């Protein structure tokens, strides 16, 4: 005859093995929403109009409004690495805009976005939506400097295309999102984003903040585990009646 405590533990173990959580979705924000450190959004949500989670791979959405601001600017102490910082291309041989003559760093802009907090135990990621508060991207105004973006080391066609289409015309920030192929995600739940300007590298840019939205679904348990869990749960129930 087993003790009540042992029976309870067996029943709980069986229930845990059988449990499947619901599908879920959540968004993380990396960096402060302070318009590159130049001010604020006047009470508006800079992500309004864009889809923050659940985008299919390659899908792109844009925020409803662009926000103008002054420059130059430099990161404040404690800013999320890679935000509120003006970048130019890794090889800058010319200057096309005001940013390219401002305090700046050579690209590529490399950012690590850890979203492990959104990836629950026993779940799989069904979509990842990357958000970028993109500032001062001006291709093709400066045709010598198209942008190239990679995700986890692989050039991302959709992101590269939209960064070369927004043509913000000057110090204007526009939030955009893109769906990332889950097959390109890293097992460590860190997304490494790289943005660079090619050509003369002289079209500077910046990012105010990033977002990552993740949707997940339970991982179906193998049949053998289901049977084992059910057997344990049944054993627990049986022992409680003894
Ligand atoms: Ca620019
Ligand atoms: Ca910021």
């Amino acid at each position: 005859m087993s003790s009540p405590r042992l029976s309870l533990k067996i029943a709980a173990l069986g229930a845990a093995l059988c449990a499947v959580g619901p599908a879920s979705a959540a968004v993380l924000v990396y960096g402060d929403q302070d318009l590159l450190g130049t001010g604020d959004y006047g009470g508006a949500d800079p992500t309004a109009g864009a889809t923050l989670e659940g985008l299919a791979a390659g899908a792109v959405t844009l925020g409803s409004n662009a926000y103008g601001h002054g420059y130059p600017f430099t990161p404040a102490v404690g800013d999320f690495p890679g935000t509120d910082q003006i970048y130019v291309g890794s090889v800058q041989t010319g200057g096309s805009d005001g940013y390219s003559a401002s305090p700046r760093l050579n690209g590529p802009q490399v950012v690590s976005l850890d979203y492990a907090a959104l990836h629950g135990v026993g779940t799989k990621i069904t979509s990842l939506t990357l958000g970028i508060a993109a500032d001062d991207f001006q291709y093709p105004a400066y045709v010598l400097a198209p942008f190239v973006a990679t995700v986890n080391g692989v050039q991302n066609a959709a992101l590269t295309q939209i960064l070369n289409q927004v043509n913000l015309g000057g110090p204007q920030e526009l939030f955009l999102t893109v769906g990332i192929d889950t097959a390109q995600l890293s097992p460590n739940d860190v997304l490494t984003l790289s943005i660079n300007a090619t050509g003369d590298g002289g079209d500077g840019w910046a990012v105010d903040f990033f977002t990552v939205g993740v949707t997940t679904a339970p991982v179906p348990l193998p049949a053998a585990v289901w049977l084992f869990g059910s057997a344990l749960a049944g054993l627990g129930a049986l022992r409680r009646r003894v």
Side-chain angles (χ1 to χ4, degrees), residues 144-173:
L144 292 177
F147 297 99
V148 174
T150 71
V151 171
N152 293 337
V154 178
Q155 184 168 330
N156 187 288
L159 182 53
T160 295
Q161 182 176 29
I162 191 60
L163 291 178
N164 287 312
Q165 281 181 347
V166 289
N167 194 9
L168 296 168
Q172 296 270 336
E173 187 213 295

Side-chain angles (χ1 to χ4, degrees), residues 32-34 36-37 83-84 208-209:
D32 48 9
Q33 299 180 341
D34 61 355
L36 294 312
T83 65
D84 300 356
D208 185 28
F209 62 93

Side-chain angles (χ1 to χ4, degrees), residues 128-200:
L128 188 146
T129 303
L130 171 64
I132 302 175
D135 181 58
D136 211 81
F137 289 82
Q138 292 174 271
Y139 184 83
Y142 305 125
V143 295
L144 292 177
F147 297 99
V148 174
T150 71
V151 171
N152 293 337
V154 178
Q155 184 168 330
N156 187 288
L159 182 53
T160 295
Q161 182 176 29
I162 191 60
L163 291 178
N164 287 312
Q165 281 181 347
V166 289
N167 194 9
L168 296 168
Q172 296 270 336
E173 187 213 295
L174 178 65
F175 183 75
L176 59 89
T177 64
V178 59
I180 304 300
D181 186 349
T182 55
Q184 295 179 345
L185 299 183
S186 170
N188 66 356
D189 290 336
V190 176
L191 186 149
T192 302
L193 169 68
S194 172
I195 300 174
N196 200 9
T198 58
D200 71 356

